Amino acid sequence: MTNYSVFCLLFLASAGCATLGGSTYPVNAPSRPATNTPNHFMVGTIPLGGALTEPQAGGGCRNPMVDPRDGTRLTLVQSQRGETDEIGDYEVSNGRYGARDGELLRLNCSTGLAIGFVPRRR
């Protein structure tokens, strides 16, 4: 086998490994329900203190998302496109909305609706 052939095999093997697993939890995978969430989260401004705006279809996942009831900020960790909407996984404090260690709160970014908790993938 030539050096070029070995290089090609190693490259293909590493490319295959890079696509396995991924860093995001699959869009259609089950999630654990969240509790005591608002009707929907709103888009915050940076720096905070500005007006909150409604999430919009086609607007992508925004950062931060804010609970309009008390100003709790959610920080975007990752996002991905679902079948019809973009889905965002947001970091929240342990205990908030029922969050457990190692979980992210998944939101529909077009509506601001909470979908539920998904495991944080590393």
Side-chain angles (χ1 to χ4, degrees), residues 57-71:
C61 290
R62 306 287 299 278
N63 193 35
M65 293 297 278
V66 177
D67 184 334
R69 301 173 300 178
D70 62 11

Side-chain angles (χ1 to χ4, degrees), residues 41-42 44 46 48 61-67 71-79 88-93 97 103-107 109 120:
F41 289 89
M42 297 184 73
I46 296 177
L48 280 182
C61 290
R62 306 287 299 278
N63 193 35
M65 293 297 278
V66 177
D67 184 334
T72 298
R73 291 176 52 167
L74 308 181
T75 303
L76 182 65
V77 174
Q78 57 199 20
S79 64
D89 297 334
Y90 289 82
E91 189 170 60
V92 298
S93 301
Y97 312 117
E103 290 183 321
L104 299 171
L105 181 58
R106 178 161 282 180
L107 301 182
C109 295
R120 177 178 227 141

